[in-house]
Amino acid sequence: MKVAGFLAGFSFLSKLAMKGVYSAPGDYIYFKSQVPLHKIPIGTKQWRYYDFGPKAVPPLICLPGTAGTADVCYKQIMSLSMKGYRVISVDIPRVWNHHEWIQAFEKFLDAIDVHHIHIYGTSLGGFLAQLFAQHRPRRVRSLILSNTFLDTRSFSAAMPWAPIVSWTPSFLLKRYVLTGIRDGPHEPFIADSVDFVVSQVETLSREDLASRLTLTADAASVGPLLLTDSFITIMDTNDYSAIPQQLKDEVSERYPGARRAQLKTGGDFPFLSRPDEVNLHLQLHLRRVGVEARPDLVPGIPKGGSGGSSSEENEKKDPEDPAKDEDPANDDRGSSDNPLAESQLPHAPESSQSHSLDDQLVSNAIVCHFSNVDMMVSLHLGFLKNQHTVPTETVMRLCAEIFALHLLSFYVGSVYISLNCNRRVGQVV
């Protein structure tokens, strides 16, 4: 079994390598060019995070799974911030037990001057969110849990080598993490989400991976929460995920009064593969628990829709829907070089399936009032609208050109043979 898993991971990596160099999505490149990445040391821990949106709004904090980074929630950052919400997406720092995680996360919140939070946690991030809510109940106002679990027993049993994980080479840790991702035919959006997460795994160091796998295998379980079930939303995918269905069912049984947000498809990373639906459910949850959006604090942009992209260096300008937000008072914490911008660019949604869902909440109007960025906006929107058709046309064109080259080579070869034969016949005659 272990050898089979090892070989499966190798096969998965080999197939990805055969695809060639990974090319980041256009909206992610735009995200990276617009939203600053913060890096701050707190004690011995280095925190890496994005913070985007009006600081007057209680933040939604996104905690990724074992294979995730702060970047994997870039679609949520841009979409929700346009509507007037503040979103903070963080990397799980290098902590080696759950008690250390609780203390480190509390110090992080103190450092960025955030006291009450709402957490969206997926997989390992959902487990850590529940632990923090259990031990620091006054700070957590609500939870959105996606494809997560209540205890680590099954993962501990599957990792008998956990005691030596901190000495395991990086390539073996990456291979082990990637074996949890389903290898097989996927819908295009799901395949794109897998490729993106795999690219993020490649950015993680050996210590990062060892720390996360240790948190997954370290014996711990979630106890009773003071948070009432009505302030919890459970958002699971119905097709498949790395978390066994039995563990997801245990979460549902623990919180019988929680709201259910079932996604028919989405795989392990619905926040990337089904961003419109996920963003809609996040917005509904925030409204239900009393978080008031502040689109009035988003300079120069009206109300907006869904989808999104942003970045880590410059000003903040958002795509996709009508209005995204950015607080002029937003102060950059950490090592980002550029302050948050005062305007955001409208962006086209990534998924065409959920436009009607988002239209239930906000209007479709996209109005841009920018002085020097009109052309940039139109070019960006045009690129995104055609991002799913261009590859197909390119492939067809490439196939036609290859076929034409083959015909040309065949024709040239035939002419050469014919001329050569005629020359020899002439000599004989």
Side-chain angles (χ1 to χ4, degrees):
M1 292 289 290
K2 296 176 186 177
V3 174
F6 184 87
L7 293 176
F10 182 78
S11 173
F12 186 70
L13 287 172
S14 300
K15 290 179 181 178
L16 288 174
M18 290 175 65
K19 293 181 180 180
V21 179
Y22 171 76
S23 179
D27 62 337
Y28 175 66
I29 295 174
Y30 184 75
F31 168 83
K32 296 288 286 181
S33 70
Q34 299 300 313
V35 179
L37 172 67
H38 307 273
K39 297 178 183 179
I40 59 174
I42 303 176
T44 59
K45 306 294 182 294
Q46 179 79 12
W47 287 85
R48 178 181 178 275
Y49 68 101
Y50 295 99
D51 185 354
F52 197 21
K55 302 227 171 182
V57 178
L60 172 69
I61 295 188
C62 301
L63 296 179
T66 305
T69 64
D71 300 65
V72 299
C73 288
Y74 75 94
K75 295 178 184 286
Q76 286 66 52
I77 294 173
M78 295 306 290
S79 176
L80 295 177
S81 64
M82 278 179 62
K83 298 177 177 70
Y85 295 99
R86 180 184 181 186
V87 184
I88 301 174
S89 183
V90 305
D91 270 5
I92 299 175
R94 295 175 193 171
V95 293
W96 300 94
N97 59 66
H98 301 101
H99 180 68
E100 187 180 3
W101 152 253
I102 294 167
Q103 290 185 326
F105 191 47
E106 186 171 34
K107 290 179 180 178
F108 168 72
L109 297 178
D110 292 338
I112 63 174
D113 196 24
V114 169
H115 304 287
H116 302 117
I117 59 174
H118 306 264
I119 307 180
Y120 169 45
T122 65
S123 189
L124 174 62
F127 177 69
L128 296 178
Q130 294 174 84
L131 286 180
F132 189 77
Q134 175 188 346
H135 294 279
R136 300 293 186 271
R138 294 185 178 182
R139 305 199 77 154
V140 179
R141 294 302 173 89
S142 72
L143 294 173
I144 305 103
L145 306 174
S146 180
N147 294 337
T148 189
F149 49 92
L150 291 174
D151 63 64
T152 60
R153 287 175 298 179
S154 60
F155 302 105
S156 300
M159 280 185 62
W161 51 279
I164 62 169
V165 70
S166 59
W167 295 298
T168 306
S170 177
F171 77 95
L172 289 178
L173 295 178
K174 290 179 180 178
R175 186 171 299 168
Y176 182 82
V177 169
L178 294 178
T179 55
I181 302 176
R182 180 178 175 180
D183 179 20
H186 297 294
E187 299 177 45
F189 287 115
I190 296 179
D192 290 343
S193 72
V194 171
D195 289 346
F196 184 85
V197 171
V198 170
S199 73
Q200 292 299 304
V201 171
E202 292 300 319
T203 68
L204 297 175
S205 67
R206 183 181 67 84
E207 292 76 12
D208 292 328
L209 291 168
S211 166
R212 298 179 185 196
L213 290 174
T214 299
L215 291 176
T216 303
D218 190 29
S221 61
V222 177
L225 303 185
L226 294 181
L227 193 67
T228 60
D229 290 358
S230 61
F231 286 83
I232 299 174
T233 294
I234 299 175
M235 188 192 320
D236 290 337
T237 53
N238 288 337
D239 47 359
Y240 55 83
S241 73
I243 305 300
Q245 186 61 44
Q246 179 183 354
L247 299 184
K248 294 195 288 186
D249 291 341
E250 291 177 358
V251 175
S252 298
E253 294 170 3
R254 172 68 66 88
Y255 311 115
R259 294 295 182 96
R260 299 292 190 274
Q262 297 294 333
L263 305 177
K264 291 183 179 180
T265 61
D268 287 296
F269 317 111
F271 43 87
L272 289 168
S273 60
R274 293 290 181 266
D276 289 344
E277 296 176 54
V278 170
N279 294 341
L280 173 63
H281 288 304
L282 292 176
Q283 189 176 355
L284 290 173
H285 172 90
L286 292 173
R287 288 184 175 185
R288 182 168 55 83
V289 299
V291 178
E292 182 180 355
R294 295 294 304 275
D296 57 302
L297 296 180
V298 183
I301 299 186
K303 295 183 181 180
S306 68
S309 68
S310 337
S311 154
E312 64 176 321
E313 305 171 334
N314 310 328
E315 304 175 21
K316 297 187 171 181
K317 296 179 181 177
D318 256 43
E320 165 195 21
D321 295 84
K324 288 191 181 179
D325 64 44
E326 197 174 326
D327 192 352
N330 269 359
D331 55 321
D332 277 359
R333 298 178 181 272
S335 66
S336 65
D337 297 329
N338 301 315
L340 300 184
E342 296 180 352
S343 61
Q344 300 170 345
L345 300 181
H347 200 91
E350 298 274 315
S351 172
S352 61
Q353 302 178 357
S354 305
H355 291 263
S356 59
L357 293 176
D358 217 19
D359 291 342
Q360 298 171 9
L361 296 177
V362 290
S363 66
N364 287 335
I366 299 181
V367 182
C368 307
H369 300 292
F370 300 107
S371 56
N372 298 321
V373 296
D374 291 338
M375 182 173 294
M376 183 178 180
V377 173
S378 60
L379 289 175
H380 182 57
L381 286 174
F383 173 78
L384 290 177
K385 288 178 181 177
N386 295 314
Q387 64 179 338
H388 301 301
T389 59
V390 171
T392 303
E393 296 172 359
T394 302
V395 170
M396 295 299 293
R397 191 183 305 114
L398 180 61
C399 291
E401 291 175 354
I402 293 175
F403 181 72
L405 287 174
H406 278 289
L407 288 180
L408 179 61
S409 62
F410 177 79
Y411 174 75
V412 172
S414 300
V415 171
Y416 174 81
I417 294 173
S418 177
L419 292 175
N420 195 36
C421 290
N422 290 338
R423 186 169 58 87
R424 290 184 178 181
V425 170
Q427 291 176 352
V428 171
V429 173

